[in-house]
Amino acid sequence: MISSENRSDFSASCSSISEEARAKINLALHVTGQRPDGYHLLDMLVTFTDHGDRLDFMPSPTDEFTLSGRFGETLAGDGGTNLVLKARDLLREAIGPLAFPVRIQLEKNLPVASGIGGGSADAAATLRGLVRLWGTSLPEEALAALALKLGADVPMCLASRPLIARGIGEKIEPVPELPVLAMVLANPLKGVSTPEVFRQLATKNNPALSLPPSRPLAADWLAAIAAARNDLEPPARELVPEIAAISAMLQANGALLTRMSGSGATCFGIFANMAAAEDAAAALHDARPDWYFQATETVSGGA
């Protein structure tokens, strides 16, 4: 470990490192069963958006953690429960003396507990950023195992590219052919309890995700996504009626397809192009300035 006498010199000589924590979008989420330990078995088609949180890392005499961004204050009382800090500590334990103190700045642009993996994406970005800052490397399998300890969504956020995830989320298959999608993320900024959504789920042994073997065109993908579903959306709509309202608003403003992501309450609308998505987001914001609307693009499968 770097001595206290040398830390200030080291900090001055080492530039900061940044990582994007992209929003995770469940284009489809099928609940296919439940394990004896209570974890639900899922089939998910997942992509990630250009829009998300941002984390900056730099050496520091002592560990520091600061928050900014639209939703930063929401996490201000999080203390040691924040997944960023858990990821830092877990990685430090794994790599040992190379893990000098670090200042972490989280710019929180995504709504908290909103079904788009904000906390999981932040944890994954912390793992990626600190591996770079600390100048170390871990085998891919070891890093994925650390990610899974932080939560079932963290391994897919570590990949942060289009994929199919099965099991509790740990069995990941890349989907490089998934195209870029223009979309609007929409959230009424009303909390929905993930455990309660699962408790309200009527059937927990639903048909698995099935995608056509060949999907070369964007239009084919749109049809394939439309034929899938989010099994958590019906119970979430019962708990938070605003989910139905916000989905209807997306449709009324030109969305080709709308669906809830994860356990909610964020919904997404897929649009023909970014200009249409930006126009829709502006109109929706004018109609409900107290809600969250964000036009964005997803990353390409080959990113």
Side-chain angles (χ1 to χ4, degrees):
M1 181 164 299
I2 297 171
S3 68
S4 58
E5 299 85 31
N6 295 333
R7 270 181 198 142
S8 60
D9 292 340
F10 180 81
S11 299
S13 66
C14 185
S15 60
S16 65
I17 284 174
S18 298
E19 282 284 342
E20 300 297 325
R22 303 183 187 279
K24 176 184 70 70
I25 307 301
N26 292 102
L27 296 173
L29 190 159
H30 294 202
V31 181
T32 60
Q34 189 171 15
R35 299 194 320 195
D37 62 5
Y39 278 98
H40 291 82
L41 299 174
L42 309 172
D43 278 7
M44 296 175 283
L45 176 63
V46 174
T47 191
F48 293 84
T49 69
D50 282 339
H51 178 70
D53 298 337
R54 176 189 169 95
L55 290 99
D56 294 301
F57 309 88
M58 71 169 45
S60 175
T62 59
D63 283 331
E64 296 180 58
F65 179 55
T66 60
L67 290 160
S68 63
R70 178 178 176 183
F71 299 102
E73 287 188 9
T74 310
L75 296 178
D78 229 4
T81 66
N82 191 287
L83 278 175
V84 168
L85 303 183
K86 289 185 176 182
R88 178 201 66 193
D89 295 344
L90 193 62
L91 184 61
R92 172 175 281 147
E93 181 181 337
I95 69 172
L98 290 175
F100 49 79
V102 60
R103 181 179 188 272
I104 303 175
Q105 165 74 35
L106 169 59
E107 182 182 296
K108 191 67 187 168
N109 302 316
L110 299 174
V112 176
S114 58
I116 51 177
S120 296
D122 294 342
T126 299
L127 294 177
R128 293 193 305 266
L130 289 180
V131 162
R132 293 167 57 207
L133 185 73
W134 285 336
T136 187
S137 62
L138 286 175
E140 187 176 331
E141 298 80 6
L143 197 58
L146 289 181
L148 187 58
K149 286 184 179 180
L150 293 163
D153 284 353
V154 182
M156 64 186 89
C157 290
L158 193 62
S160 213
R161 62 177 58 186
L163 54 87
I164 292 171
R166 295 189 171 90
I168 63 170
E170 83 284 10
K171 299 174 183 176
I172 293 173
E173 172 192 342
V175 185
E177 67 270 28
L178 189 67
V180 172
L181 301 169
M183 63 173 54
V184 173
L185 307 181
N187 189 295
L189 299 183
K190 185 171 182 179
V192 54
S193 166
T194 298
E196 188 60 27
V197 169
F198 275 103
R199 275 194 292 270
Q200 296 289 333
L201 189 63
T203 305
K204 299 185 179 181
N205 293 283
N206 300 293
L209 178 68
S210 178
L211 296 173
S214 178
R215 304 170 294 271
L217 302 176
D220 296 333
W221 269 107
L222 193 63
I225 295 166
R229 60 187 191 275
N230 183 345
D231 288 329
L232 301 182
E233 186 164 350
R237 285 186 178 220
E238 290 293 323
L239 293 168
V240 182
E242 288 87 346
I243 292 172
I246 211 164
S247 181
M249 291 172 68
L250 287 165
Q251 289 178 328
N253 280 272
L256 305 175
L257 182 150
T258 65
R259 184 165 289 153
M260 188 183 80
S261 179
S263 59
T266 300
C267 296
F268 62 88
I270 298 176
F271 287 78
N273 51 55
M274 270 304 292
E278 288 168 349
D279 288 346
L284 290 162
H285 177 75
D286 287 344
R288 288 302 305 253
D290 53 327
W291 287 1
Y292 168 85
F293 299 101
Q294 178 67 48
T296 186
E297 280 187 326
T298 62
V299 299
S300 69

